[in-house]
Amino acid sequence: MKKLELHYDRKKFWENYWKEFQVDQEEFKDLEMYPIAMSLKYCRPNDRILECGFGAGRVVRHLHKFGFNVEGIENDRSIVDLVKTTDPRLKVEFGDICKMNYPAGTFDVALCFGVIGGLNEKTDPALHELTRVVKPGGYIVVSVMLDNWARRLQKLLNQFSKEPLEFYAWMNSPSDWAHYFSIQNLKVIDRAEIISRYNVYYWTRWLRSAFSNTNLSDARIQDDQYKLNFVGLCFWFLHKFFLRQQLAAGMTFTLQKPL
């Protein structure tokens, strides 16, 4: 795996991120969006489901609303308290993905979006713990960063920042990620590039339409409601149809624990 290092203040970044987003809405309107699409594909109503690193709660809140037996852990106490205050019915707690207080084989499905790749030296322990708490034959759905044009461009633009250089995430090619999961004794049964207008809209403000007033924290909106200008639409067309892997924000993998 390759280490992506960026000039940024990790603590400040996440404090500002939660201030901007607060708590997500309780449902997705566009069910084809990441990360709800892959979640619904492998979660069944009678499954016991765990989301590790639920963040602002967009997935755990959606699944709970529609009757799934879901619970979550997050290692940021402030966002846990905020989510619990917003919706006290949710089974969400503060916790460490590398040391979870669940017996082995507790869950049918574990969801983990944008977490394991950002743990630096703890990627292996986190994946081992996810595997431990899932039943034999159960699923682990994770998202990771790709070593692609998008990340290289991000790193190039980041050179102008005056913040100290810090570890940001591990990145790899799809085939190398698949190999990494296989040596962890997990079978890759599905994968999908993470592409959406949201990523273009959020990270490249100069590609937004001047008439757009989309609320970034509203998980109910559809992907085409992230309004882009002409250059942004051209970029999106190339991204969606010709450069999916090269410009993807990452990739979601569905892994199966052996019986």
Side-chain angles (χ1 to χ4, degrees):
M1 291 186 286
K2 296 182 180 179
K3 183 179 290 189
L4 175 62
E5 294 181 320
L6 297 177
H7 294 276
Y8 84 117
D9 184 324
R10 179 182 290 272
K11 182 179 179 180
K12 183 179 178 180
F13 173 86
W14 285 110
E15 286 177 351
N16 291 336
Y17 188 91
W18 297 135
K19 285 179 183 177
E20 179 178 358
F21 281 77
Q22 296 298 308
V23 174
D24 277 319
Q25 299 292 332
E26 63 180 354
E27 66 178 284
F28 284 80
K29 186 175 181 181
D30 183 352
L31 300 183
E32 299 302 316
M33 290 178 66
Y34 163 84
I36 196 62
M38 195 72 87
S39 301
L40 293 176
K41 189 173 181 180
Y42 289 95
C43 294
R44 296 164 296 188
N46 294 328
D47 286 342
R48 188 173 178 185
I49 303 159
L50 174 69
E51 186 182 10
C52 296
F54 57 81
R58 55 182 176 166
V59 173
V60 72
R61 294 197 75 199
H62 181 99
L63 293 177
H64 178 266
K65 179 175 181 179
F66 289 97
F68 289 84
N69 181 16
V70 61
E71 50 200 282
I73 64 167
E74 168 63 52
N75 72 345
D76 187 318
R77 289 187 185 275
S78 62
I79 195 64
V80 172
D81 292 341
L82 188 58
V83 170
K84 291 177 76 170
T85 301
T86 302
D87 194 343
R89 301 168 301 169
L90 294 175
K91 294 186 286 185
V92 294
E93 301 292 342
F94 172 81
D96 182 355
I97 189 176
C98 295
K99 192 176 181 181
M100 293 188 275
N101 296 319
Y102 300 110
T106 298
F107 298 96
D108 298 282
V109 184
L111 309 173
C112 188
F113 300 112
V115 176
I116 65 168
L119 292 175
N120 203 351
E121 305 301 326
K122 296 183 178 180
T123 301
D124 286 359
L127 194 57
H128 293 163
E129 189 69 346
L130 282 168
T131 304
R132 184 188 69 81
V133 301
V134 169
K135 297 176 182 178
Y139 299 118
I140 303 170
V141 185
V142 299
S143 65
V144 290
M145 288 187 179
L146 297 180
D147 179 16
N148 59 7
W149 295 357
R151 291 303 165 192
R152 292 168 198 168
L153 178 60
Q154 180 186 15
K155 189 172 183 179
L156 178 64
L157 294 174
N158 180 254
Q159 296 304 307
F160 298 100
S161 172
K162 296 181 180 180
E163 298 287 352
L165 192 65
E166 288 192 32
F167 169 80
Y168 186 73
W170 294 106
M171 58 184 186
N172 221 334
S173 68
S175 59
D176 285 342
W177 273 119
H179 176 69
Y180 168 72
F181 294 132
S182 69
I183 63 177
Q184 306 297 323
N185 199 29
L186 292 167
K187 182 181 180 181
V188 176
I189 62 171
D190 201 357
R191 67 179 76 176
E193 296 94 350
I194 301 171
I195 65 164
S196 75
R197 289 191 184 208
Y198 168 83
N199 296 315
V200 178
Y201 189 92
Y202 181 77
W203 292 106
T204 52
R205 297 174 183 266
W206 61 90
L207 297 181
R208 297 179 187 178
S209 168
F211 304 101
S212 177
N213 60 354
T214 301
N215 179 1
L216 284 167
S217 67
D218 191 344
R220 296 172 300 175
I221 69 174
Q222 298 184 60
D223 204 44
D224 60 7
Q225 290 180 266
Y226 293 108
K227 300 299 182 182
L228 304 172
N229 58 31
F230 178 76
V231 177
L233 288 172
C234 293
F235 181 84
W236 169 245
F237 182 84
L238 290 172
H239 180 11
K240 185 175 182 179
F241 295 104
F242 298 104
L243 301 172
R244 292 178 65 90
Q245 186 172 306
Q246 294 90 334
L247 295 174
M251 180 165 278
T252 304
F253 286 87
T254 299
L255 316 170
Q256 188 171 36
K257 180 176 177 177
L259 292 170

